[in-house]
């Protein structure tokens, strides 16, 4: 050691800040520190406003449904009762579907599943607020889009079971749906990639002078991906007719949203730095979700530019069937979550306006249960995952390219030989 | 027929195809108003307008990612990555998305796009303007990889790539944009106008993907190569008086295995020549395929000429680049055994 005095010795030691969630297993969750503005409080600017005008809305929370189930304030989309009932039915269907498929995974009928419990209002209301021809680039937690757009439950299940009727031929992990007709782009396991893709689709629609718009989806955790930044940049530069949704459900597997940057700024507020209009919305309020998406779609459709919407919600269950949230977060958080349950809140609203009652609700639950069970029975008749894997082996080598090159043809023949040896007879 | 260098041929392929197909959109860094740092897209924005040819933010992930969305819509993006050395921020989109969308959607969505990028060394480009990353793409299933070596092929292959229903990575050896380079850095380079392959037809024609070209017939050994190294190989063969068969692969994926097998079975010897670093390079795949498929015809081990396994150095350009001496010694070794 040198005898010279260290010139830095009087400076304070630097400290690394590593964000921690407020509650860990064993703690009693208490969300009273979360500011929840009253329903109806947020102003609703004209769709043609400059992006920066929306900044106050990026730290606020657009809410329509009050605690008494009334729709209040300037964001009330004033939906007719049929649309409200349709949304309630869609949301309930998603939840029942999730429960059935979760159970199917536990029964060994498939390898994997992901629920969206507590987040049903977001995809369902967004789908209802946009035109059927508009395009979505979803993540794996927007199954509500397919349900709301009338995609067959049976086909969703066939994908989950990777069976003979699976539209993606057993090539994709369960829930990685794809359907062009329903405007639902193929889900990728790689997070964030679909965000710039959505912008590109919207740019294409603008290049062609089309009138369709597009919605890109991402979770709070994946906003940290570089693709989030490139999507926001391209959306802003080209004023693409796109709605960019951030579903902030507070958790990215075991990491709370602070690890993605939520401690210092809301996700919505990021929009302003890109010159994009931003909204922060109560994601458990189906009417607020509908109104915000409608506002953003009107803006996009009239060439007023993109909008980024943060949907503030809570991931009520585990990340996936491979996840156990009791290992990293406090029990009972979902029940304590200040924004409540989206299905219960929409139901209370329908009842408050005299368009729903307990009997009809019970009847609807029965009907949905029967529908989902019937779909499941039909899907399982087409096979479940453990029965698959040796049917139509050549199809495994198809669609890598438009036509099969020599090396894939050779490998296909080798795979068939191996299967023959394993099975003791010719594979189907 | 017009005399064109590689850049002019590539520029013409853009023009021919953009006139034929309104769904083709061209974008990338500096490709719009300015016409590209190598001039490959010169004049396109003026002719086709800003919505068909435009400048992009400096974001390779964004360029490829938005191109995926455009292809999903039904357009045919023809995009440029300014240097192959800068393709990596777009690599996730290329490998995880572009290459797999046909497969993962069972053909419901396809990605008819072309990603063009200048590549290769020999221009004092240092570490980040000289790389040859083709093996990172040939290793990725679902992609086609094309590397032309002359103006005629450049235009015909690019038109084929644009018309191909699958995504194509189109690497352009920038060392030979203006003239073929034989590896003799200390001698003046002849422009393309002195070479018959600069006679490029006007209008539409194609050079098929997946088809190699025997650029010199011979009996003594087979040289498998592509890009700039085609010219280095041809020069080395002439200078050393060797009757080699030189094959310009043109498409690395899917590979023209028939032409390779036929040649090696005839000559019984094989030298694989690439500019890229040696270990796990595309040459390793070529050598293995030859070994697997022509083993009983081989009279000598398959040799590789390649760049060293170092980053591409600036001052040591001509120690690094696989030039005439490395070629001569490798030829001697293959023929001696």
């Amino acid at each position: 050691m040198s005898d010279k005095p260290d010139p830095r010795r009087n400076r304070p030691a630097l400290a690394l800040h590593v964000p921690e969630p407020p509650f860990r297993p064993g703690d009693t969750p208490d969300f009273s520190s979360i500011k929840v503005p009253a329903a109806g409080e947020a102003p609703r600017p004209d769709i043609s406003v400059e992006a920066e005008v929306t900044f106050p809305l990026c730290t606020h929370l657009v809410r329509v449904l009050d605690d008494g189930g009334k729709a209040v304030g300037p964001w009330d989309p004033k939906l007719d009762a049929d649309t409200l009932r349709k949304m309630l039915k869609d949301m309930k269907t998603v939840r029942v579907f999730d429960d059935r498929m979760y159970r199917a995974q536990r029964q060994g009928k498939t390898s994997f599943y992901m629920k969206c419990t507590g987040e049903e209002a977001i995809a369902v209301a967004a789908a209802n607020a946009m035109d059927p021809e508009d395009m979505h680039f979803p993540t794996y937690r927007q199954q509500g889009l397919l349900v709301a757009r009338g995609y067959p439950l049976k086909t969703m299940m066939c994908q989950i079971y990777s069976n003979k009727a699976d539209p993606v031929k057993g090539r994709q992990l369960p829930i990685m749906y794809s359907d062009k007709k329903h405007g639902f782009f193929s889900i990728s396991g790689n997070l964030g990639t679909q965000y710039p893709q959505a912008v590109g689709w919207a740019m294409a629609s603008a290049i062609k002078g089309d009138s369709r718009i597009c919605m890109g989806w991402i979770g709070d955790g994946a906003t940290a991906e570089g693709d989030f930044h490139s999507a926001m940049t391209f959306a802003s530069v080209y004023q693409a007719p796109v709605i960019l949704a951030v579903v902030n459900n507070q958790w990215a597997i075991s990491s709370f949203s602070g690890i993605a940057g939520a401690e210092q700024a809301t996700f919505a507020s990021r929009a302003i730095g890109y010159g994009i209009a931003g909204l922060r919305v109560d994601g458990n309020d189906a009417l607020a979700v509908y109104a915000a998406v409608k506002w953003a779609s009107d803006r996009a459709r009239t060439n007023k530019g993109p909008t980024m919407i943060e949907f503030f919600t809570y991931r009520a269950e585990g990340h996936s069937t491979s996840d156990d949230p009791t290992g990293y977060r406090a029990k009972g958080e979902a029940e304590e979550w200040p924004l409540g349950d989206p299905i219960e809140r929409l139901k209370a609203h329908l009842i408050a306006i005299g368009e729903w009652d307990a009997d009809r609700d019970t009847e609807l639950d029965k009907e949905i249960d029967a529908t989902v069970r019937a779909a499941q029975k039909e899907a399982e008749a087409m096979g479940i995952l453990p029965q698959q894997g040796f049917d139509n082996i050549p199809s495994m080598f198809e669609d890598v390219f438009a036509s099969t090159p020599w090396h894939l043809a050779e490998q296909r023949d080798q795979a068939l030989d191996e299967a023959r040896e394993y099975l003791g007879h010719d594979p189907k | 027929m017009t005399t064109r260098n590689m850049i002019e041929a590539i520029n013409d392929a853009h023009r021919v195809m953009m006139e034929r197909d309104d769904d083709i959109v061209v974008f990338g860094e500096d490709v719009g108003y300015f016409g590209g740092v190598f001039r490959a897209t010169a004049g396109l924005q003026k002719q086709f307008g800003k919505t068909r040819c435009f400048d992009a933010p400096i974001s390779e992930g964004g360029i490829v990612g938005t191109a995926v969305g455009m292809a999903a819509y039904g357009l045919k993006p023809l995009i440029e990555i300014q240097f192959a050395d800068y393709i990596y921020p777009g690599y996730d989109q290329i490998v995880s998305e572009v290459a797999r969308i046909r497969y993962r959607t069972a053909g419901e969505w396809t990605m008819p796009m072309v990603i063009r990028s200048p590549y290769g060394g020999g221009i004092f480009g240092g570490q980040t303007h000289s790389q040859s990353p083709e093996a990172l793409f040939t290793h990725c299933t679902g992609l086609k990889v094309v590397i032309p070596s002359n103006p005629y092929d450049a235009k015909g292959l690019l038109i084929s790539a644009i018309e191909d229903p699958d995504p194509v990575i189109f690497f352009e050896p920038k060392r030979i944009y203006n003239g073929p380079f034989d590896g003799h850095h200390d001698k003046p380079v002849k422009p393309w106008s002195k070479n018959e392959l600069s006679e490029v037809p006007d209008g539409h024609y194609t050079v098929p993907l997946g088809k190699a070209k025997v650029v010199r017939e011979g009996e003594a050994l087979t040289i498998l190569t592509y890009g700039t190294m085609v010219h280095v190989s041809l020069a080395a063969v002439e200078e050393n008086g060797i009757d080699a068969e030189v094959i310009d692969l043109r498409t690395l994926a899917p590979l023209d295995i028939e032409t390779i097998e036929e040649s090696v079975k005839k000559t019984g010897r094989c030298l694989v020549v690439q500019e890229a670093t040696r270990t796990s390079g595309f040459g390793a795949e070529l050598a293995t395929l030859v070994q697997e498929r022509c083993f009983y015809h081989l009279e000598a081990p398959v040799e590789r000429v390649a760049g060293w396994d170092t980053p591409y150095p600036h001052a040591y350009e001509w120690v690094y680049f696989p030039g005439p001496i490395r070629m001569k010694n490798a030829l001697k070794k293959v023929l001696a055994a």
Side-chain angles (χ1 to χ4, degrees), chain B residues 111-156:
Chain B
M111 287 288 121
M113 74 163 77
V114 179
I115 302 173
R116 288 181 42 247
S117 192
Y119 112 122
I123 57 145
F124 279 103
Q127 294 189 25
T128 57
H129 298 81
S130 307
Q131 293 168 36
S132 298
E134 66 271 20
L136 297 179
F137 298 90
T138 55
H139 185 58
C140 174
T141 189
L143 294 177
K144 295 185 176 176
V145 179
V146 175
I147 301 176
S149 69
N150 60 71
Y152 179 90
D153 282 355
K155 180 176 170 184

Side-chain angles (χ1 to χ4, degrees), chain A residues 14 30 84 89 125 175 180 257 269 290 326 337 347 383 385:
Chain A
L14 297 172
D30 172 10
L84 293 170
K89 185 180 177 184
I175 73 162
K180 200 178 219 172
S257 59
S269 64
Y290 185 103
T326 64
W337 184 244
K347 187 173 106 185
L385 178 64

Side-chain angles (χ1 to χ4, degrees), chain A residues 135 137 167-169 171-172 178-181 184-188 190 193 196-197 199-201 203-205 207-208 210 212 227 230 233-234 237-238 396 398-402 405-406 410, chain B residues 22-23 25 51 54-57 59 61-63 65-66 68-70 72-73 75 92-93 96-97 99 101-109 141-144 165-166 254-255 257 289 293:
Chain A
M135 185 70 188
F137 282 75
V168 293
K169 301 187 177 175
R171 294 174 188 157
Q172 274 273 54
S178 171
D179 195 76
K180 200 178 219 172
K181 213 175 95 217
F184 191 97
F185 189 68
S186 159
I187 295 173
S188 170
N190 296 67
T193 52
Q197 292 167 5
V199 175
W201 195 99
M203 287 169 70
S205 188
I207 285 168
K208 284 301 192 183
D210 198 342
R212 289 179 292 166
D227 277 336
S230 63
T233 302
F234 278 66
V237 167
Y238 302 106
M396 189 182 119
E398 291 161 7
D399 298 324
V400 178
F401 296 99
W406 63 270
E410 286 186 359
Chain B
D22 288 341
D23 289 336
V25 284
T51 58
F54 52 90
D55 291 316
S59 168
I63 291 168
T66 52
V68 170
M70 291 179 199
Y73 177 92
L75 300 186
D92 185 34
Q93 286 284 351
S96 309
E97 305 292 318
I101 282 169
R102 178 190 288 277
Y103 189 72
R104 79 176 197 228
T105 68
E108 186 175 40
W109 266 289
T141 189
L143 294 177
K144 295 185 176 176
D166 289 311
L255 194 61
I257 195 69
L289 284 167
R293 304 171 92 91

Side-chain angles (χ1 to χ4, degrees), chain A residues 29-46:
Chain A
D30 172 10
F31 291 116
S32 55
S33 63
I34 292 180
K35 269 202 306 183
V36 180
E41 199 182 273
R44 184 183 182 279
D46 187 82

Side-chain angles (χ1 to χ4, degrees), chain A residues 79-399:
Chain A
L79 296 176
D80 60 80
D82 283 344
T83 304
L84 293 170
R85 281 189 290 259
K86 179 188 183 295
M87 294 205 300
L88 181 69
K89 185 180 177 184
D90 290 344
M91 287 161 65
K92 280 174 176 275
T93 303
V94 171
R95 188 165 295 180
V96 171
F97 183 95
D98 276 358
D99 286 339
R100 299 293 316 173
M101 290 298 100
Y102 184 91
R103 198 178 313 187
Q105 190 276 338
R106 287 298 189 252
Q107 291 167 337
K109 292 173 180 173
T110 189
S111 63
F112 183 74
Y113 192 70
M114 296 175 107
K115 298 170 117 181
C116 68
T117 311
E119 303 171 35
E120 295 91 344
I122 300 165
V124 165
N128 278 288
M130 290 172 76
D131 288 353
E133 299 80 19
D134 293 333
M135 185 70 188
H136 286 277
F137 282 75
T139 77
Y140 45 68
R141 230 184 284 278
Q142 277 80 50
Q143 52 265 57
L145 294 172
L146 285 172
V147 171
R149 285 184 157 184
Y151 188 70
L153 301 181
K154 177 195 159 188
T155 314
M156 289 173 79
M157 290 168 172
C158 288
Q159 196 282 327
I160 291 161
Y161 291 134
S162 283
N163 66 17
K164 291 183 200 58
D166 172 7
V168 293
K169 301 187 177 175
R171 294 174 188 157
Q172 274 273 54
L173 204 61
I175 73 162
M176 305 278 185
Y177 311 108
S178 171
D179 195 76
K180 200 178 219 172
K181 213 175 95 217
H182 291 79
F184 191 97
F185 189 68
S186 159
I187 295 173
S188 170
N190 296 67
L191 297 188
T193 52
Q194 75 287 350
Y195 227 44
Q197 292 167 5
V199 175
W201 195 99
M203 287 169 70
S205 188
I207 285 168
K208 284 301 192 183
D210 198 342
S211 64
R212 289 179 292 166
I213 61 166
C214 180
M215 190 159 177
W217 296 82
I218 205 166
D220 46 294
T223 61
E225 294 281 6
D227 277 336
F228 173 81
H229 168 66
S230 63
M232 296 295 280
T233 302
F234 278 66
S236 173
V237 167
Y238 302 106
Q239 289 294 289
V242 66
I243 305 169
L244 292 164
V246 176
V247 180
N248 175 10
N249 68 12
Q250 315 301 320
W251 291 94
I253 308 185
S254 75
S255 300
F256 91 116
S257 59
I259 290 293
E263 260 187 1
Q264 314 300 339
T266 67
F267 294 103
S269 64
R270 273 141 236 235
I272 303 304
Y274 293 96
I276 292 176
L279 300 172
R280 189 161 175 268
V281 175
D282 179 346
N284 293 13
D285 176 343
L287 295 191
V289 173
Y290 185 103
V293 173
K294 188 73 177 56
W295 186 91
S297 63
D298 288 346
R299 185 174 166 89
R301 225 182 285 282
T302 51
N303 286 309
K304 305 281 188 329
T307 304
M308 191 260 253
I309 309 176
E310 174 186 350
F311 295 109
F312 197 63
T313 185
Y314 185 83
R315 196 194 77 208
E317 301 213 12
H319 166 71
S320 72
T321 48
S322 308
D323 178 45
D324 174 12
T326 64
Y328 51 80
R329 69 182 187 186
K331 263 197 184 126
E333 280 196 7
E335 292 73 30
E336 291 301 313
W337 184 244
L339 302 179
D341 181 306
I343 295 178
E344 292 305 316
R345 286 175 67 191
L346 183 58
K347 187 173 106 185
H349 172 59
L350 272 160
I351 291 171
I353 60 172
E355 293 287 353
W356 201 242
D357 56 50
D359 287 348
R360 291 171 84 177
D361 198 61
T362 310
E363 209 45 50
L364 179 62
D365 285 346
K366 269 195 217 154
E367 181 199 322
I368 290 170
D369 188 63
T371 305
V372 175
R373 280 173 191 273
Q376 188 175 6
K377 210 172 158 188
E378 281 181 53
E380 288 179 7
M382 304 303 291
I384 55 174
L385 178 64
Q387 301 162 352
Q388 309 303 312
F390 289 93
D391 286 337
N392 197 6
I393 288 169
S395 85
M396 189 182 119
F397 295 89
E398 291 161 7
D399 298 324

